[in-house]
Amino acid sequence: EAMVICTSAVPQISKLSVIKAMLKIPLNILAKKKAINFRDLVFKYKPGQYPEMVDYVGQKKQIDFAKKLGVKHVILVSSMGVLDPNNFLNQIGKDKRGNGHGDILIWKRKAEKYLCLSGLQYTIIHPGGLVDTESRKMELVLDVDDALMRNEKKSISRGDVASLCIAALTVSGGKSISFDCIGKEVADENNVRSPEDVLKEFLETGKTADYRLGPASY
């Protein structure tokens, strides 16, 4: 028996920030800049749907419920980039002074640690940027501790993440593991290895995320 947790707080874009960004387009073009600076867009979370409540409190409740049900294995889909407290994802939901309900990666990290200490078998998956492309068209690359953040391309198909969740159910062999994942383009898509083969090979390396890393606030 297993449980897959893939909940995440979802921000809403501020319509006012969109209008302001659009008004700047002519000036940006004249200045030979990007038409829209996406950093000017403001995102906010709905009341009660902040990262602390969804990605930490909510996930803790799901983990506790898994234990109550007698679930043996929990698969948690989190996010890559958690070791960088200045990651732009953490700024979503905050104002220019840094106040507000943000720090989504920090709250995800706290939930991961809670799962690690729960006594349950766990598989924690940190995908790169999620894209809506066809699955099993790119070679899956796994590593730990944000090493893959150094890659120029750090995306992965949502379908491939789902396949890794399924693979964790079949090849984990009772081992707990936490890892990052992205997709890499290959010359021949017919030679792409299955998620099961990639995960099984990675499990043999003995690598897993080091939860001693990161700011003390994690």
Side-chain angles (χ1 to χ4, degrees):
E1 296 180 344
M3 176 184 288
V4 178
I5 300 175
C6 53
T7 50
S8 183
V10 179
Q12 305 292 318
I13 191 168
S14 165
K15 294 180 181 179
L16 180 59
S17 71
V18 174
I19 294 172
K20 288 181 177 179
M22 292 179 68
L23 291 174
K24 289 182 179 180
I25 290 177
L27 293 175
N28 288 339
I29 293 175
L30 288 174
K32 297 182 178 180
K33 297 179 180 179
K34 290 183 178 180
I36 294 180
N37 183 354
F38 289 98
R39 297 282 179 166
D40 289 338
L41 300 178
V42 176
F43 292 84
K44 297 180 180 180
Y45 296 98
K46 290 183 178 180
Q49 297 180 20
Y50 308 126
E52 179 182 2
M53 298 306 299
V54 177
D55 295 274
Y56 180 56
V57 176
Q59 290 187 7
K60 280 180 60 180
K61 289 182 177 180
Q62 291 178 80
I63 294 165
D64 290 341
F65 191 53
K67 293 180 71 173
K68 184 177 180 180
L69 292 176
V71 169
K72 304 299 183 184
H73 186 185
V74 172
I75 299 165
L76 173 61
V77 179
S78 187
S79 179
M80 200 163 70
V82 295
L83 293 183
D84 179 10
N86 297 316
N87 190 298
F88 80 96
L89 291 176
N90 285 328
Q91 307 311 312
I92 296 175
K94 295 182 180 181
D95 59 24
K96 293 181 178 180
R97 295 184 297 274
N99 299 319
H101 299 278
D103 295 328
I104 187 169
L105 297 181
I106 292 176
W107 292 115
K108 285 180 180 292
R109 184 76 164 183
K110 287 177 179 288
E112 292 174 31
K113 284 189 173 183
Y114 187 80
L115 175 57
C116 292
L117 297 173
S118 68
L120 298 170
Q121 181 192 349
Y122 59 83
T123 300
I124 300 173
I125 302 174
H126 303 126
L130 299 173
V131 292
D132 293 316
T133 55
E134 191 175 351
S135 61
R136 303 208 177 191
K137 295 296 182 180
M138 302 183 79
E139 180 75 11
L140 293 175
V141 181
L142 311 185
D143 211 327
V144 297
D145 302 330
D146 282 351
L148 297 176
M149 291 294 290
R150 295 190 289 267
N151 289 41
E152 182 178 355
K153 292 185 178 181
K154 300 178 280 287
S155 60
I156 184 171
S157 163
R158 284 183 168 83
D160 283 334
V161 175
S163 294
L164 276 170
C165 291
I166 295 172
L169 296 173
T170 58
V171 303
S172 292
K175 295 181 180 178
S176 289
I177 189 172
S178 177
F179 61 87
D180 309 338
C181 57
I182 61 173
K184 183 178 71 173
E185 293 181 357
V186 292
D188 186 356
E189 295 176 353
N190 294 319
N191 291 329
V192 171
R193 293 183 299 162
S194 70
E196 288 78 10
D197 287 343
V198 173
L199 181 56
K200 187 175 182 180
E201 179 181 87
F202 189 76
L203 283 164
E204 292 173 354
T205 69
K207 283 185 175 183
T208 191
D210 186 351
Y211 282 92
R212 296 171 299 178
L213 300 178
S217 60
Y218 285 15

Coordinates of all heavy atoms in Angstrom, one line a residue, residues 6 64 88 112 121 143 147 173 176-177 187:
C6 N 1.2 15.0 -4.2 CA 1.7 15.9 -5.2 C 1.0 17.3 -5.1 O 0.8 17.9 -6.1 CB 1.6 15.3 -6.6 SG 0.0 14.7 -7.0
D64 N 0.5 12.1 8.2 CA -0.1 11.5 9.4 C -1.2 10.5 9.1 O -1.4 9.5 9.7 CB -0.6 12.6 10.3 CG 0.5 13.4 10.9 OD1 1.7 13.0 10.9 OD2 0.3 14.6 11.4
F88 N 13.8 32.4 -6.9 CA 12.7 33.3 -7.2 C 11.3 32.7 -6.8 O 10.4 33.5 -6.5 CB 12.7 33.7 -8.7 CG 12.1 32.7 -9.6 CD1 10.7 32.8 -10.0 CD2 12.8 31.6 -10.1 CE1 10.2 31.9 -10.8 CE2 12.2 30.7 -10.9 CZ 10.9 30.8 -11.3
E112 N 9.3 17.7 3.6 CA 10.2 16.5 3.3 C 10.8 16.0 4.6 O 10.9 14.8 4.8 CB 11.2 17.0 2.3 CG 10.7 17.3 0.9 CD 11.8 17.9 0.0 OE1 12.9 17.4 0.2 OE2 11.5 18.7 -0.9
Q121 N 8.6 4.3 4.8 CA 9.4 4.3 3.6 C 9.0 5.5 2.7 O 7.8 5.8 2.6 CB 9.3 3.0 2.8 CG 10.2 3.0 1.6 CD 9.8 1.9 0.6 OE1 9.0 1.0 1.0 NE2 10.4 1.9 -0.6
D143 N 19.9 13.0 -9.9 CA 21.0 13.4 -9.0 C 20.5 14.0 -7.7 O 19.3 13.8 -7.5 CB 21.9 14.5 -9.7 CG 23.4 14.4 -9.3 OD1 23.6 14.0 -8.2 OD2 24.3 14.7 -10.2
A147 N 22.4 19.5 -7.7 CA 23.5 19.5 -8.7 C 23.0 19.8 -10.1 O 23.7 20.4 -10.9 CB 24.2 18.1 -8.6
G173 N 12.3 -1.4 -3.7 CA 12.8 -2.5 -2.9 C 12.9 -2.2 -1.5 O 13.8 -2.7 -0.8
S176 N 14.4 3.9 1.1 CA 14.0 5.3 1.0 C 15.0 6.1 0.3 O 16.2 5.9 0.5 CB 13.8 5.8 2.5 OG 12.7 5.2 3.1
I177 N 14.5 7.1 -0.5 CA 15.4 7.9 -1.3 C 14.8 9.2 -1.6 O 13.6 9.4 -1.7 CB 15.8 7.1 -2.6 CG1 16.9 7.9 -3.4 CG2 14.5 7.0 -3.5 CD1 17.4 7.1 -4.6
A187 N 19.5 11.9 -29.2 CA 19.5 11.8 -30.7 C 18.5 10.9 -31.2 O 17.8 11.2 -32.2 CB 20.9 11.4 -31.2

